[in-house]
Amino acid sequence: MPEISQNIKEVRKRIEKACAGCGRNPADITLIGVTKTVEPDIIREAFSAGIVHFGESFVQEALQKVGALAQIPAQWHFIGHLQTNKAKFVARLFDTLHTLDSEKLALELNRRLQSEGRTLRVLIQVNVSGEKAKSGIAPKQAGMLAQYASTLPNLKLCGLMTIPPFFDAPQKAAPFFAALKSLRDELAAKDVPGHLLSELSMGMTGDFEEAIAQGATMIRVGTAIFGERL
Ligand SMILES: *Cc1c(COP(=O)(O)O)cnc(C)c1O
């Protein structure tokens, strides 16, 4: 798959250019290859081409793939909505969860992680835009959830995540990215120590340059690496 490695090179170039534009270091941006609908063989190719972090959105699909790829030392990120009754799978298989959105889910994850003898890095998903159909906790409640998550020993709170509304012009997403960063600064000043919120997961294929300019440390990129999803 020379195409995949070419795509990855192009994404890295876009990251470098975005970083140059705002005085940031590309080494501070974690590129997560989003592999929903992507077959294990292609994921292996992407790993060979230097992608170490992979993001999956659906528990059922991820279970098969993470198992099939157990030999490669990849880092698995769960980026889809997670129901409490599926928390055990994420606790068992994933390294990072980007979508913590309730105390109930946090407690159940912690319980499952304790019985697995594991820890899980977690980011709180914030519904910055307030869209009804979107998951994530309201900005006003994020501080409480961050405090709660920070008390659970097997959860390693590390940041915030958001998905802005869909826009055809990526610049329109910038205010939502900026809002996530200000929320982080606010919570770090009054709710939890700042080092527990050092990561900002924001930006996808269409808008990651804007996210980087607003402080993203993790970008989640599917289409630009693996092509259009069917
Ligand atoms: C699918 C998905 C992505 C990747 O989107 P692309 O536009 O293909 O880069 C990123 N984040 C989440 C939460 C997703 O579900």
Side-chain angles (χ1 to χ4, degrees):
M1 281 280 141
E3 201 185 302
I4 298 282
S5 60
Q6 189 55 39
N7 290 349
I8 293 169
K9 275 197 195 120
E10 276 159 28
V11 169
R12 297 260 186 227
K13 261 189 233 148
R14 282 175 62 186
I15 294 171
E16 278 167 27
K17 196 165 166 225
C19 285
C22 60
R24 298 189 60 198
N25 183 348
D28 296 337
I29 314 289
T30 301
L31 172 58
I32 301 170
V34 174
T35 47
K36 57 189 183 226
T37 77
V38 176
E39 296 295 329
D41 283 350
I42 309 287
I43 299 176
R44 239 180 242 115
E45 293 290 341
F47 183 80
S48 306
I51 302 284
V52 179
H53 297 266
F54 294 99
E56 287 282 339
S57 303
F58 303 103
V59 168
Q60 224 46 42
E61 181 187 343
L63 282 181
Q64 301 175 349
K65 289 200 268 185
V66 178
L69 293 164
Q71 299 89 340
I72 63 169
Q75 294 274 316
W76 293 96
H77 297 250
F78 196 81
I79 62 172
H81 179 65
L82 182 60
Q83 289 170 302
T84 306
N85 64 5
K86 296 198 173 140
K88 60 172 179 267
F89 299 113
V90 169
R92 190 177 301 155
L93 291 169
F94 281 80
D95 300 290
T96 308
L97 171 73
H98 291 232
T99 53
L100 183 67
D101 61 359
S102 72
E103 293 192 0
K104 184 170 162 236
L105 177 60
L107 186 62
E108 176 64 5
L109 282 165
N110 190 66
R111 189 171 81 81
R112 295 288 182 171
L113 287 159
Q114 278 178 332
S115 59
E116 298 282 339
R118 296 187 81 228
T119 59
L120 180 72
R121 289 180 16 111
V122 296
L123 290 83
I124 294 173
Q125 181 179 3
V126 184
N127 185 354
V128 173
S129 61
E131 292 164 283
K132 282 218 173 62
K134 193 151 274 175
S135 38
I137 194 162
K140 279 200 180 107
Q141 289 159 10
M144 287 264 288
L145 182 56
Q147 280 177 354
Y148 182 72
S150 73
T151 65
L152 298 173
N154 294 57
L155 294 188
K156 302 295 167 200
L157 179 63
C158 65
L160 304 179
M161 176 269 211
T162 200
I163 307 173
F166 177 79
F167 295 111
D168 43 15
Q171 311 83 275
K172 292 187 183 159
F176 298 90
F177 297 143
L180 191 71
K181 176 150 194 304
S182 344
L183 178 64
R184 189 274 302 280
D185 295 345
E186 208 179 292
L187 302 187
K190 69 179 209 296
D191 294 294
V192 292
H195 72 270
L196 299 182
L197 296 175
S198 58
E199 304 282 1
L200 290 176
S201 168
M202 54 191 198
M204 324 201 296
T205 290
D207 57 16
F208 71 71
E209 284 93 343
E210 277 73 16
I212 288 172
Q214 301 299 333
T217 62
M218 295 175 156
I219 59 173
R220 310 176 308 266
V221 179
T223 309
I225 296 175
F226 299 105
E228 292 288 342
R229 287 178 292 275
L230 300 176

